[in-house]
């Protein structure tokens, strides 16, 4: 290895030691190595500094580099002094010693003003950008790295340009601009693809793989990370090999490939020389084993991790690792003992307890003067006191942590401690204070909702564990404070809060903000445009099911059922399973009536008296997996009295009736699935289904079987006029975007790709997509949140209305239903929801298809008019 490459590796080490989870850390500058004329003492000092840095001994590296800088001052060698100060800043950054790091880099830049060496200046900007990013200033870091890129361009240093572009991608990610970061890295990939292997190439591929994972493109991420690993292996660079293995482990974990993730983490530990990366890989492995309920295997890692943590020098990364370890021990204790109390650390007894580990992390964060990591450590320690019911001490620690998080401009930490403070105040009886704390937590989450995907992966971010409860507990607190019927403003606040949760869920599903465009409040629609529709808004809370109802031209009202969230989910899951079993009609009616009693019965007489004929549901949680038309009142199904529709939230995009005289449909169907997907059954009635649409008089453009490919669909979308898209093919909705797809002749079209195909049309055509019909799709079996994928597909397709099946039904009955629906749709003066209802009633009256499993599978999402 050349001296040049050795130095690069010294400075780029942060790439693989920054975070416990997915991260794209900056590529740092190369700084001149000592030349032969340098005194042996100084040369030796720099080599020693490099060796210490490589081994993670950053404090000792600082001492050596300080001595080297002092020697350069005495010699009057300004250029080497400036370069050494840059490296010193880098070592300080690893310790979280931000003031010293800023001073060192500022002195270096000041010295460079008197030196005409643009390369060293650009390299020093690289390190300054890293410092700015670490201090929570991604916009400033982006500008700094753009300056370094400009200099590299002027001196024709293409490797420098590449490093700056990779760094810019990291700044974009930290600002929540994942797609821009992906575009930047893809551009770098094009530059480096034809070039020989280099560390820059390995880093770029790993960075691109990591950002692809962040945006949910897991398969593409895996391919690129494998390329990164191959480059690192050809370069025979153990730490870069380990870094790629670590990212591959995270990718496999995200793809729910548990054993592959375990193997990658274990290989990372074997391969790396970095003590910190060893710890991080073992910590991720520990959390994975706990998540998969393998406490015995997890316990074997505990002594190794604690031993390695004790050997790490103080740094922000080591503080985060200790916090992560303490949190895992708490989870492991709960798993092992099934106790609500603060768990005892697993044997052997000489190991530290979670509280002792957090106390040590707190002490290290103080010594580093690192306010952000101190806020984490104090708040996590406060959560331990909360578990042991030491309310006063817990509140004191939480308030300290919150103050530090706010002063450090760290909203991703602040919301956790605002939430924790709300819980503590509630349990101590300070309800107004608790409501205020929860309000602040929700406001903070709203301010960072576009970035929720990547919030703090370094301390185990989980949407379901760390975001969803904030909203639900907040709503329960609001409604519990009302002794009688809550005030309308309180009900409105509760509705808006759960809607904010649903929007955040969709953003999390797609890894980016997805609700765009001008939208009209549902209340306004039912009060003015459609006064025969009522809106029902069920909210699943830990100990009760609340329902808020809007009847046209009446104030909001509300009722509740005392039932646990667990019981609601159990009954809904059982009902969902029974609905698809024609033999389980008795159990279906019993369970369906239970749900009817929760949602409809308390308001049934008012609905009847108000002349309502359509019920619009804004469903929550597990209820999204149920078709509301199947609810049973003891004598009739809901479909026999009301048209039903689903709304994603409290607002509707372009609430206008369908223009029936101008219906033009783009239809695509697949009779036989591709050979690689033979587990999907043939759909021989697809041709009949498409013919029945044409027979209604709707103008159609058809893609059938081999014609129905992703490329041909995109071509027709961009060249054919239509306002209806009808897809008669297999598909699956899942709570994971990468597992939500429709099947074409050339394989699955992922929901994100489908969105891209349909939205490409928006750029060249003004007419809106009025209706999307997915007639043979289904929600993923065993996925409680699978309807999230259905909602996501509906929203991202840009369709005003979407009709889809929650499960696949008999092929012939599907064709009958589709034919009936389009015939009704052509009728004047009925809504899409009513057309759906009439088509369902035709199946209900058919002797072969009267079981709910046949007719209730179809749901309408969006504009019901």
């Amino acid at each position: 290895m050349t001296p040049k490459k050795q130095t690069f590796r010294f400075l780029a080490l942060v790439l693989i030691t920054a975070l416990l989870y997915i991260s794209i850390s900056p590529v740092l500058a190369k700084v001149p190595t000592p030349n032969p004329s340098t005194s042996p003492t100084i040369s030796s000092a720099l080599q020693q500094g490099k060796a210490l840095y490589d081994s993670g001994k950053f404090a000792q590296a600082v001492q050596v580099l300080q001595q080297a800088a002092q020697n350069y001052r005495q010699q009057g060698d300004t250029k080497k002094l400036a370069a050494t100060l840059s490296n010193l800043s880098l070592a300080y950054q690893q310790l979280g010693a931000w003031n010293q790091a800023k001073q060192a880099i500022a002195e270096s830049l000041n010295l460079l003003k008197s030196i005409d060496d643009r390369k060293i200046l650009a390299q020093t900007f690289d390190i300054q950008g890293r410092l700015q990013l670490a201090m929570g200033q991604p916009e400033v870091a982006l500008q700094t790295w753009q300056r370094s890129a400009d200099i590299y361009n002027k001196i024709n240093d293409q490797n420098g340009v590449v490093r700056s572009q990779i760094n810019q991608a990291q700044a974009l990610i930290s600002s929540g601009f994942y797609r821009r970061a992906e575009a930047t890295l893809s551009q770098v990939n094009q530059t480096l693809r034809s070039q020989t292997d280099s560390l820059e190439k390995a880093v770029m591929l790993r960075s691109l793989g990591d950002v692809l994972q962040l945006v949910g493109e897991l398969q593409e991420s895996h391919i690129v990370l494998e390329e990164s690993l191959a480059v690192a292996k050809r370069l025979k660079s153990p730490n870069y090999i380990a870094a790629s293995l670590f990212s591959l482990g995270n990718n496999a974990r995200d793809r729910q490939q548990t054993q592959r993730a375990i193997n990658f983490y274990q290989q990372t530990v074997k391969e790396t020389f970095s003590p910190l990366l060893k710890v991080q890989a073992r910590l991720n492995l520990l959390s994975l084993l706990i998540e998969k309920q393998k406490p015995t295997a997890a316990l074997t890692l505990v002594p190794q991790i604690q031993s390695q943590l004790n050997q790490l020098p103080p740094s922000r990364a080591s503080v985060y690792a200790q916090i992560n370890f303490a949190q895992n021990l708490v989870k492991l204790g709960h798993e092992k003992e099934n106790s609500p109390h603060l768990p005892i650390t697993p044997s052997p007894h000489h190991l530290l307890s979670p509280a002792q580990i957090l106390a040590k992390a707190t002490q290290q964060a103080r010594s580093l003067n690192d306010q952000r990591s101190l806020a984490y450590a104090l708040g996590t320690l406060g959560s331990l006191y909360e578990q042991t019911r030491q309310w006063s001490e817990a509140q004191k620690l939480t308030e300290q942590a919150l103050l530090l998080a706010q002063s450090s401009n760290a909203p991703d930490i602040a919301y956790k401690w605002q939430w924790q403070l709300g819980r503590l105040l509630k349990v101590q009886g300070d309800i107004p204070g608790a409501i205020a704390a929860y309000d602040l937590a929700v406001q903070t989450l709203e301010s960072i909702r576009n970035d929720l995907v990547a919030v703090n992966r370094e301390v185990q971010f989980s949407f379901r564990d760390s975001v969803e409860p904030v909203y639900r507990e907040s709503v329960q607190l609001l409604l519990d404070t009302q002794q009688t019927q809550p005030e309308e403003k309180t009900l409105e606040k509760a509705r808006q809060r759960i809607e904010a949760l649903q929007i955040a869920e969709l953003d999390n599903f797609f890894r980016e903000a997805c609700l765009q465009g001008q939208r009209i409040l549902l209340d306004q629609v039912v009060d003015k445009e459609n006064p025969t529709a009522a809106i029902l808004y069920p909210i699943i809370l830990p100990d009760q099911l609340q329902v808020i109802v809007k009847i046209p031209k009446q104030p909001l009202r509300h009722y509740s059922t005392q039932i646990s969230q667990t019981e609601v989910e159990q009954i809904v899951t059982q009902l969902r399973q029974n609905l698809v079993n024609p033999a389980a009609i008795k159990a279906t009616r019993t369970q369906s009536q239970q749900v009817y009693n929760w949602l409809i019965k308390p308001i049934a007489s008012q609905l009847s008296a108000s002349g309502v004929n359509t019920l619009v549901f804004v469903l929550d949680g597990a209820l999204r997996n149920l078709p509301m038309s199947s609810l049973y009142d003891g004598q009739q199904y809901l479909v026999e009295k009301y048209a039903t529709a689903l709304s994603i939230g409290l607002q509707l995009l372009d609430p206008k009736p369908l223009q029936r005289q101008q219906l033009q449909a783009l239809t695509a169907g697949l009779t036989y699935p591709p050979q690689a997907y033979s587990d999907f059954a043939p759909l021989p009635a697809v041709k009949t289904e498409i013919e029945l649409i044409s027979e209604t008089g709707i103008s159609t453009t058809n893609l059938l079987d081999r014609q129905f490919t992703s490329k041909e669909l995109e071509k027709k979308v961009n060249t054919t006029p239509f306002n209806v898209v009808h897809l008669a093919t297999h598909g699956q909705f899942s709570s994971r975007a990468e597992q939500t797809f429709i099947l074409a002749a050339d394989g699955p079209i992922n929901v994100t790709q489908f969105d891209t195909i349909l939205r490409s049309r928006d750029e060249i055509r003004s007419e809106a997509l009025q209706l999307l019909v997915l007639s043979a799709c289904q929600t993923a079996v065993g996925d409680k949140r699978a309807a999230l994928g259905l909602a996501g597909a509906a929203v991202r397709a840009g369709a005003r209305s979407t009709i889809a099946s929650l499960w696949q039904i008999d092929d012939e009955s599907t064709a009958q239903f589709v034919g009936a629906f389009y015939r009704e749709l052509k009728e004047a003066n009925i809504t899409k929801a009513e057309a759906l209802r009439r088509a369902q009633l035709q199946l209900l009256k058919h002797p072969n298809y009267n079981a709910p499993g046949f007719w209730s599978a179809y749901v309408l999402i969006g504009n019901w008019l």
Side-chain angles (χ1 to χ4, degrees):
M1 183 179 288
T2 65
K4 188 176 181 181
K5 283 190 176 178
Q6 285 178 330
T7 308
F8 176 83
R9 195 164 154 199
F10 168 38
L11 289 167
L13 186 63
V14 260
L15 267 167
I16 56 177
T17 59
L19 302 180
L20 294 174
Y21 208 79
I22 299 169
S23 170
I24 304 171
S25 305
V27 183
L28 301 177
K30 302 176 186 177
V31 185
T33 53
N35 61 38
S37 65
T38 306
S39 74
T41 303
I42 296 174
S43 176
S44 173
L46 287 176
Q47 289 299 322
Q48 185 184 358
K50 174 199 175 301
L52 290 166
Y53 189 97
D54 279 349
S55 63
K57 297 176 180 177
F58 306 121
Q60 292 98 313
V62 163
Q63 292 176 355
V64 171
L65 289 169
Q66 283 174 333
Q67 183 60 53
Q70 184 60 35
N71 291 338
Y72 282 136
R73 279 195 185 92
Q74 291 172 359
Q75 286 192 355
D77 193 332
T78 306
K79 183 184 291 190
K80 292 193 179 74
L81 175 58
T84 303
L85 287 169
S86 294
N87 266 334
L88 181 59
S89 173
L90 181 59
Y92 276 135
Q93 290 174 42
Q94 288 286 21
L95 294 173
W98 308 115
N99 288 333
Q100 294 95 319
K102 284 165 65 178
Q103 289 169 8
I105 205 73
E107 185 179 352
S108 176
L109 287 169
N110 190 49
L111 290 169
L112 289 168
K113 289 177 182 177
S114 61
I115 304 170
D116 185 20
D117 192 320
R118 290 184 291 177
K119 186 164 187 173
I120 293 182
L121 178 61
Q123 293 164 345
T124 305
F125 279 145
D126 282 347
I127 294 179
Q128 185 187 38
R130 196 270 179 196
L131 174 62
Q132 290 160 341
L133 184 67
M135 297 186 70
Q137 300 172 317
E139 297 87 357
V140 181
L142 180 62
Q143 293 171 5
T144 299
W145 282 322
Q146 286 169 341
R147 290 174 71 184
S148 70
D150 288 341
I151 297 171
Y152 286 129
N153 266 316
K154 287 173 183 173
I155 62 175
N156 199 28
D157 182 344
Q158 289 308 306
N159 283 341
V161 171
V162 163
R163 289 196 303 273
S164 292
Q165 287 176 316
I166 296 172
N167 290 340
Q168 288 173 47
Q170 171 62 28
L172 289 169
I173 289 169
S174 295
S175 300
F177 300 121
Y178 310 124
R179 295 294 180 184
R180 282 178 59 190
E182 181 189 354
T184 299
L185 290 166
S186 296
Q187 180 184 343
V188 178
N189 190 21
Q190 292 303 315
T191 303
L192 294 181
R193 182 172 291 280
S194 60
Q195 297 184 13
T196 57
D197 290 340
S198 64
L199 292 177
E200 288 92 345
K201 191 171 185 176
V203 169
M204 178 278 301
L205 288 167
R206 188 171 74 251
S207 301
L208 179 57
D210 285 345
V211 78
L212 285 169
Q213 181 170 348
L214 276 175
V215 300
E217 297 175 15
L218 299 184
Q219 182 58 34
E220 292 84 352
S221 165
H222 172 76
I223 293 169
V224 173
L225 289 172
E226 287 283 9
E227 290 178 26
S228 171
L229 178 61
V231 172
K233 284 182 174 178
R234 289 194 292 270
L235 293 171
K236 298 181 180 178
S237 173
N239 269 338
Y240 280 72
I241 291 170
S244 295
L245 290 168
F246 187 57
S247 288
L248 281 164
N250 292 330
N251 177 278
R253 181 173 182 175
D254 222 4
R255 290 196 295 160
Q256 300 179 321
Q257 297 175 345
T258 303
Q259 190 54 52
R260 284 176 63 83
I262 289 172
N263 293 342
F264 280 127
Y265 290 141
Q266 290 173 338
Q267 289 176 57
T268 303
V269 172
K270 269 191 199 175
E271 193 71 36
T272 186
F273 295 133
S274 163
L276 183 57
L277 186 56
K278 283 183 188 289
V279 169
Q280 291 170 330
R282 282 193 169 121
L283 280 168
N284 280 12
L285 178 56
L286 176 66
S287 68
L288 178 58
L289 292 172
I290 294 169
E291 178 187 313
K292 297 302 178 182
Q293 298 183 334
K294 297 181 178 180
T296 304
L299 280 168
T300 63
L301 291 172
V302 171
Q304 296 172 315
I305 292 172
Q306 179 157 308
S307 174
Q308 288 180 319
L309 280 173
N310 290 339
Q311 296 169 33
L312 289 179
S315 68
R316 169 177 285 190
S318 69
V319 171
Y320 282 147
Q322 289 174 81
I323 296 170
N324 183 293
F325 186 44
Q327 290 174 326
N328 276 312
L329 286 180
V330 171
K331 290 179 182 177
L332 185 57
H334 280 284
E335 182 71 34
K336 184 168 175 272
E337 301 174 8
N338 195 26
S339 166
H341 302 294
L342 183 64
I344 300 167
T345 304
S347 61
H349 297 295
H350 66 268
L351 295 177
L352 298 178
S353 69
Q356 290 171 317
I357 293 166
L358 288 171
K360 182 181 175 185
T362 301
Q363 183 182 10
Q364 284 192 2
R366 287 191 198 278
S367 70
L368 294 167
N369 196 28
D370 185 349
Q371 305 299 296
R372 183 182 175 92
S373 60
L374 181 57
Y376 254 127
L378 287 171
T380 309
L381 188 56
S383 72
L384 287 184
Y385 280 107
E386 179 188 12
Q387 291 182 51
T388 54
R389 301 174 181 270
Q390 298 177 62
W391 312 125
S392 177
E393 190 62 29
Q395 183 175 336
K396 178 182 174 183
L397 287 165
T398 303
E399 287 171 340
Q400 290 176 16
L402 178 55
L403 190 62
L404 286 167
Q406 290 171 327
S407 64
S408 302
N409 190 28
D412 53 317
I413 305 175
Y415 93 86
K416 292 173 70 72
W417 308 145
Q418 288 162 339
W419 172 30
Q420 187 162 293
L421 181 60
R423 297 195 305 268
L424 291 166
L425 292 172
K426 179 185 175 183
V427 79
Q428 294 177 86
D430 183 358
I431 302 304
I435 290 175
Y438 270 100
D439 285 351
L440 286 172
V442 170
Q443 287 172 24
T444 304
L445 277 173
E446 289 299 289
S447 74
I448 59 172
R449 81 173 179 88
N450 289 354
D451 196 31
L452 280 177
V453 195
V455 166
N456 232 7
R457 292 281 192 173
E458 54 213 357
V459 188
Q460 299 183 316
F461 174 78
S462 162
F463 186 90
R464 293 201 71 180
D465 296 339
S466 303
V467 175
E468 188 173 335
V470 182
Y471 289 91
R472 295 199 186 281
E473 291 169 15
S474 170
V475 169
Q476 179 146 17
L477 188 61
L478 283 171
L479 296 178
D480 282 350
T481 58
Q482 308 291 309
Q483 296 301 318
T484 56
Q485 180 71 15
E487 297 178 0
E488 187 166 18
K489 64 179 182 180
T490 302
L491 293 177
E492 183 58 38
K493 186 176 179 181
R495 278 203 315 177
Q496 291 175 351
R497 192 144 292 178
I498 289 294
E499 179 181 37
L501 168 62
Q502 294 180 336
I503 292 171
E505 281 184 298
L506 282 174
D507 290 349
N508 186 254
F509 177 81
F510 279 109
R511 314 284 175 125
E512 62 180 322
C514 62
L515 289 180
Q516 310 291 341
Q518 287 291 323
R519 309 178 80 82
I520 307 298
L521 287 173
L522 290 184
D523 290 9
Q524 181 179 327
V525 176
V526 301
D527 279 341
K528 295 180 179 178
E529 287 90 348
N530 189 216
T532 57
I535 308 165
L536 288 90
Y537 209 111
I539 301 171
I540 302 172
L541 299 174
D543 300 312
Q544 57 192 233
L545 178 65
Q546 298 270 1
V547 184
I548 299 173
V549 179
K550 168 64 181 176
I551 293 177
K553 300 178 181 178
Q554 295 184 24
L556 294 176
R557 62 186 70 197
H558 133 282
Y559 43 90
S560 64
T561 303
Q562 292 301 123
I563 184 171
S564 72
Q565 181 175 349
T566 302
E567 191 174 352
V568 169
E569 290 176 349
Q570 286 175 345
I571 292 171
V572 166
T573 300
Q574 291 168 3
L575 173 55
R576 172 67 176 74
Q577 292 169 348
N578 288 330
L579 277 168
V580 298
N581 180 6
I585 191 73
K586 185 175 180 181
T588 298
R589 286 185 171 180
T590 300
Q591 290 161 347
S592 184
Q593 190 168 354
Q594 279 183 283
V595 181
Y596 175 90
N597 290 343
W598 299 339
L599 304 186
I600 309 294
K601 187 176 179 180
I603 202 79
S605 59
Q606 291 94 321
L607 292 173
S608 178
S610 64
V612 164
N613 59 25
T614 302
L615 302 181
V616 180
F617 293 87
V618 186
L619 294 176
D620 183 29
L623 290 169
R624 297 178 190 140
N625 287 334
L626 284 184
M628 293 294 104
S629 59
S630 69
L631 299 188
Y632 189 67
D633 67 2
Q635 295 180 324
Q636 289 181 302
Y637 292 104
L638 204 61
V639 72
E640 297 179 80
K641 294 192 289 185
Y642 297 102
T644 60
L646 306 178
S647 178
I648 303 300
L650 291 171
Q651 301 176 58
L652 197 63
L653 185 63
D654 191 21
K656 297 175 183 175
L658 193 67
Q659 300 295 314
R660 286 166 172 78
Q661 289 74 29
Q662 302 167 14
L663 290 183
Q664 295 175 295
L666 173 60
T667 67
L670 197 62
T671 308
Y672 294 96
Q675 193 169 8
Y677 296 86
S678 56
D679 49 333
F680 287 102
L683 299 171
V686 160
K687 291 180 182 178
T688 305
E689 186 175 325
I690 292 175
E691 287 168 1
L692 287 169
I693 298 172
S694 299
E695 288 173 8
T696 64
I698 295 173
S699 172
T700 61
T701 300
N702 303 328
L703 291 173
L704 191 61
D705 291 333
R706 290 184 182 180
Q707 298 173 320
F708 177 24
T709 64
S710 54
K711 287 185 178 178
E712 195 60 29
L713 178 63
E714 185 170 10
K715 180 181 174 182
K716 293 295 184 187
V717 163
N718 290 323
T719 59
T720 307
F722 63 88
N723 50 18
V724 175
V725 172
H726 183 102
L727 301 179
T729 180
H730 287 288
Q732 177 174 281
F733 307 119
S734 165
S735 59
R736 301 171 68 86
E738 67 275 9
Q739 294 172 3
T740 296
F741 62 87
I742 58 170
L743 198 57
D746 57 344
I749 302 175
N750 179 269
V751 64
T752 309
Q753 182 188 357
F754 184 57
D755 156 49
T756 303
I757 290 173
L758 286 182
R759 287 190 182 271
S760 65
R761 165 182 179 271
D762 294 346
E763 300 171 6
I764 56 175
R765 298 181 182 275
S766 58
E767 67 266 29
L769 177 56
Q770 296 290 332
L771 178 63
L772 169 66
V773 180
L774 303 166
S775 72
C777 295
Q778 60 188 357
T779 49
V781 177
D783 187 343
K784 291 181 180 179
R785 292 154 58 89
L788 190 63
L790 173 55
V795 168
R796 288 295 290 267
R800 300 299 183 259
S801 311
T802 299
I803 288 180
S805 54
L806 290 174
W807 56 86
Q808 188 185 337
I809 64 171
D810 173 86
D811 196 31
E812 287 294 333
S813 65
T814 296
Q816 287 199 27
F817 165 80
V818 167
F821 171 71
Y822 280 99
R823 285 193 298 273
E824 295 293 345
L825 199 64
K826 288 285 287 182
E827 292 291 321
N829 301 322
I830 68 167
T831 64
K832 283 171 276 191
E834 179 61 22
L836 172 63
R837 173 178 174 266
R838 292 182 184 185
Q840 289 177 315
L841 286 175
Q842 288 191 35
L843 285 188
L844 176 60
K845 293 172 183 176
H846 193 289
N848 296 334
Y849 305 130
N850 56 12
F854 291 105
W855 52 263
S856 73
Y858 298 97
V859 294
L860 169 63
I861 302 171
N863 182 356
W864 66 91
L865 299 176

